[in-house]
Amino acid sequence: MSAPLADRIRPKTLDDIVGQQHLLGPGRPLRRIIESGEIPNLVFYGPSGVGKTTLASIIARRTKKHLCKLNGTSASTADIRAVVSKVGTLEAVNGILLYLDEIQYFNKKQQQTLLEFIENGDITLIASTTENPYFYVYNAILSRSTVFEFKPVEPKDIVPAVERAFRFLSQERGKPIKAEPEAVRRIAFSCGGDVRKAMNAAELCALAAEETDDALQVTPELAAELTQSSAPRYDREGDEHYDIVSAYQKSMRGSDPDAALHYLARLLAAGDLPSACRRLMVCACEDVGLAYPQIIPIVKAAVDAAQMVGLPEARIPLSDAVILVSLAPKSNSGEAAIDAALTDVKAGRAGPVPRCLQNKHYDSAEVKRKGQFYKYPHIYPNHWVQQQYLPDTLQGAAYYTPGENKTEQSYAAYWRHIKKEETPDK
């Protein structure tokens, strides 16, 4: 069985790499470092299929270092020592470049094993990770490395790569492959920024292409059929998950229903119904809140319906609710109020509950004025009476500020009116 097309067609020079111009474009820092020939320890951070492994191979070739590849999911400390054993041998006369893929799967002890060898220069380390290295990579390694972030490749940049793939496959098979421009575009736009996925799709299309007398035909319909299940990049445990749910809520908060629906669609395409429902409920409470308090039971009903019917029908009540939340007036006064109160509590600013609010109990002997003296608001006009509610140490504290929306302003106006009509105690 031959290697995947992505490996057979792997770029050999910096200029052949698709995308990553923010790192490898003319004059960019990483390109200048590579061209200098003096390679420091590096950490490549970014999603899969965007050129991290390819770049490590190009660096090894340019520096004439012996390239050793390990994968954090399967490599052991013994594998690291086996790499180190090659130091100073004819096989690695120009030094060793260790490419450690998925370093986040190495435990702390395994990562510590690397330190001795990268500190003394026996090994140049290029580690790659799809997770945030500042969370998953041992600090001692990070302090000895430079982190570069790789981005998903734009579809427009993937189009030339797909065209090149079909030319390569034509040469391999000895028969022209005629891929219609729309077919190429469909492949480029369906791979979620993953060039490897685009190469795999191109190879599938070549295998399934209709054969004519003079060529293999790749039509848009064939490309659509073979890429329709190619969901956007998504990992429920990784950065992409948190980026998408963050963008989902921020789009609703920012009153952009189209963007909010886009991120909802990405969550649902990945089958992540729980995250779609949870963030929607949070947004209704946090970002709409008291500006339209009735929205909370409405959104809760939509979430319940979505969870009851499941996917794909769940998309319908969720879409309704996302649009409603996006277009509703916004207020975070409730969240700000409870956060301010929590700040006081966590700082130790509390104090005994005022006697008038305590549960009924007997006063001790030293209490001179015995009794609870609670004023029951419902026997007073407008169901309100002035009395102490906050502890003595917090008298005058104000946590809630009404939002600038008609609902909260109407509440504020009502209470200003009521409190001016305070009557004497009965």
Side-chain angles (χ1 to χ4, degrees), residues 6 23 38 52 71 89 110 121 125 167 198 205-206 210 215 220 258 271 278 284 297 302 331 420 426:
L23 299 177
E38 297 293 328
K52 301 189 298 294
N71 191 292
T89 65
Q110 289 173 309
L125 173 69
R167 290 195 299 270
C205 287
E210 182 178 353
D258 297 311
R278 178 181 178 277
S331 173
K420 285 179 181 178
K426 290 185 178 179

Side-chain angles (χ1 to χ4, degrees), residues 224-275:
E225 186 176 352
L226 293 177
T227 59
Q228 64 182 343
S229 61
S230 181
R233 174 190 316 280
Y234 189 76
D235 178 357
R236 292 194 190 192
E237 301 299 325
D239 290 345
E240 192 73 13
H241 162 77
Y242 294 105
D243 287 346
I244 290 174
V245 294
S246 175
Y248 173 52
Q249 183 169 351
K250 288 172 181 172
S251 298
M252 287 187 281
R253 178 185 298 148
S255 302
D256 189 328
D258 297 311
L261 288 170
H262 168 77
Y263 293 114
L264 172 64
R266 288 173 70 166
L267 289 169
L268 298 184
D272 195 355
L273 183 59
S275 292

Side-chain angles (χ1 to χ4, degrees), residues 101-309:
D101 197 12
E102 305 290 0
I103 189 176
Q104 73 270 18
Y105 290 108
F106 258 25
N107 59 38
K108 185 175 181 179
K109 182 177 180 181
Q110 289 173 309
Q111 293 189 38
Q112 285 175 324
T113 303
L114 291 170
L115 286 177
E116 174 187 348
F117 306 112
I118 66 175
E119 279 187 326
N120 61 24
D122 287 342
I123 288 176
T124 299
L125 173 69
I126 297 182
S128 75
T129 175
T130 56
E131 306 293 347
N132 191 325
Y134 298 101
F135 296 156
Y136 291 94
V137 179
Y138 184 43
N139 284 337
I141 288 181
L142 283 179
S143 69
R144 293 161 176 80
S145 308
T146 303
V147 177
F148 289 97
E149 183 176 1
F150 286 60
K151 305 288 187 181
V153 182
E154 294 292 329
K156 62 182 178 58
D157 295 325
I158 297 178
V159 167
V162 176
E163 293 171 339
R164 177 170 170 255
F166 282 124
R167 290 195 299 270
F168 181 87
L169 290 168
S170 296
Q171 294 173 354
E172 272 197 339
R173 303 189 67 168
K175 191 167 189 176
I177 297 175
K178 293 184 179 179
E180 296 181 32
E182 180 59 24
V184 171
R185 183 181 176 280
R186 282 180 179 269
I187 293 171
F189 276 78
S190 70
C191 65
D194 186 330
V195 181
R196 184 186 298 114
K197 185 181 288 187
M199 297 299 97
N200 291 340
E203 188 165 30
L204 280 175
C205 287
L207 291 171
E210 182 178 353
E211 189 167 0
T212 64
D213 292 338
D214 60 342
L216 296 169
Q217 297 289 335
V218 177
T219 63
E221 292 74 22
L222 177 62
E225 186 176 352
L226 293 177
T227 59
Q228 64 182 343
S229 61
S230 181
R233 174 190 316 280
Y234 189 76
D235 178 357
R236 292 194 190 192
E237 301 299 325
D239 290 345
E240 192 73 13
H241 162 77
Y242 294 105
D243 287 346
I244 290 174
V245 294
S246 175
Y248 173 52
Q249 183 169 351
K250 288 172 181 172
S251 298
M252 287 187 281
R253 178 185 298 148
S255 302
D256 189 328
D258 297 311
L261 288 170
H262 168 77
Y263 293 114
L264 172 64
R266 288 173 70 166
L267 289 169
L268 298 184
D272 195 355
L273 183 59
S275 292
C277 292
R278 178 181 178 277
R279 285 298 180 115
L280 178 57
M281 280 301 312
V282 168
C283 197
C285 299
E286 176 183 344
D287 299 307
V288 177
L290 294 171
Y292 178 28
Q294 299 92 328
I295 202 170
I296 296 174
I298 294 172
V299 170
K300 176 62 164 57
V303 165
D304 288 345
Q307 292 174 334
M308 179 183 298
V309 301

Side-chain angles (χ1 to χ4, degrees), residues 67-112:
L67 178 63
C68 295
K69 295 182 181 180
L70 295 178
N71 191 292
T73 61
S74 57
S76 65
T77 302
D79 294 318
I80 297 173
R81 298 194 183 281
V83 170
V84 174
S85 68
K86 298 179 181 180
V87 173
T89 65
L90 289 175
E91 186 179 11
V93 67
N94 294 314
I96 292 175
L97 190 151
L98 171 60
Y99 179 66
L100 178 55
D101 197 12
E102 305 290 0
I103 189 176
Q104 73 270 18
Y105 290 108
F106 258 25
N107 59 38
K108 185 175 181 179
K109 182 177 180 181
Q110 289 173 309
Q111 293 189 38
Q112 285 175 324

Side-chain angles (χ1 to χ4, degrees), residues 352-361 371-377 387-391 395:
V353 174
R355 181 66 182 98
C356 63
L357 302 185
Q358 293 174 4
N359 189 34
K360 289 182 179 180
H361 55 72
Q372 187 172 21
F373 308 106
Y374 171 60
K375 299 173 186 176
Y376 186 58
Q387 67 181 321
Q388 179 179 346
Y389 288 99
L390 279 168
Q395 281 297 293

